[in-house]
Amino acid sequence: MNDVKYNADGTAVMSAELEKRLEEITDEARRATEEIVATAGIGRGDIFVVGCSTSEVTGNTIGHASVKPVAKAVFDGIYPVLQGKGIYIAAQCCEHLNRAIILEAECAERYGLEVVCVRPAPKAGGSFATVTYDTLEKPVAVESVKAHAGIDIGGTLIGMHLRAVAVPVRISTEKIGEARVICARTRPKYIGGPRAIY
């Protein structure tokens, strides 16, 4: 699928084949999100972190082919599932913004997260974070979160934004577009010694 070209102004031009695949990408993202949410057992008020490389979704190398329409297709699969269950989306930015997180101001306030001043763009933050910022009701950026579960689309390394004990979760959707999918849930730490009861 790796046929994204760029105009002189840097905007991505998708092939007809990729445009046809957008609906399929949305469906793959929806199915993956439904499965990880159900498996992780998360619900209202929990945080779900999403790392998404649209470059990898289109079959390119991470960081080299950011495509907003592809990000929108992935977002349109993920966000309604989370919104319907009252789960906060936390979109991880790319390394150029130190993997900052875009989420609703309400979530930042609820969890006592310090807001930082930055707005993502496709080449500085990534297309998925940009689409999230452009869509949320009152988006803010924070440096980090401790999410209850998450999905890594294309090897974006979301581990730094998960709670301390992350547990890998295998789901039936192995790819979104051409990008490999890795999911995780978290659990509370076990503490104590041989007499502890869990």
Side-chain angles (χ1 to χ4, degrees):
M1 195 187 347
N2 112 32
D3 44 2
V4 179
K5 298 191 177 7
Y6 289 89
N7 288 324
D9 66 358
T11 55
V13 179
M14 298 185 302
S15 68
E17 179 193 346
L18 181 53
E19 283 190 35
K20 287 179 192 169
R21 286 261 295 130
L22 292 180
E23 205 172 297
E24 200 175 315
I25 288 168
T26 298
D27 190 52
E28 290 165 353
R30 179 192 51 75
R31 285 195 326 266
T33 306
E34 288 172 345
E35 195 171 346
I36 182 63
V37 165
T39 304
I42 59 173
R44 184 162 299 283
D46 288 340
I47 301 174
F48 186 83
V49 65
V50 180
C52 176
S53 167
T54 57
S55 301
E56 292 283 335
V57 173
T58 61
N60 290 283
T61 303
I62 192 168
H64 288 83
S66 192
V67 188
K68 271 183 86 175
V70 172
K72 178 88 167 82
V74 175
F75 182 89
D76 288 348
I78 294 171
Y79 189 59
V81 175
L82 301 179
Q83 203 174 27
K85 295 188 175 294
I87 298 168
Y88 295 113
I89 190 170
Q92 178 180 274
C93 294
C94 74
E95 63 182 295
H96 299 100
L97 294 187
N98 297 329
R99 305 212 189 284
I101 293 289
I102 305 302
L103 41 65
E104 286 285 7
E106 175 188 303
C107 180
E109 187 175 332
R110 178 177 185 156
Y111 284 93
L113 304 172
E114 185 177 349
V115 174
V116 295
C117 189
V118 72
R119 178 189 177 107
K123 297 285 185 184
S127 288
F128 188 83
T130 302
V131 167
T132 302
Y133 190 96
D134 292 344
T135 308
L136 295 183
E137 192 175 316
K138 193 174 177 192
V140 296
V142 299
E143 288 188 289
S144 64
V145 293
K146 293 296 179 192
H148 301 86
I151 186 168
D152 180 327
I153 305 165
T156 62
L157 304 177
I158 63 169
M160 65 187 284
H161 294 301
L162 291 168
R163 293 191 305 174
V165 184
V167 180
V169 175
R170 294 197 187 278
I171 61 171
S172 60
T173 303
E174 294 180 356
K175 287 186 172 186
I176 294 176
E178 299 300 314
R180 292 187 186 279
V181 173
I182 299 173
C183 300
R185 65 176 177 83
T186 61
R187 66 157 175 79
K189 295 177 184 178
Y190 294 135
I191 64 163
R195 296 184 185 185
I197 299 168
Y198 301 114

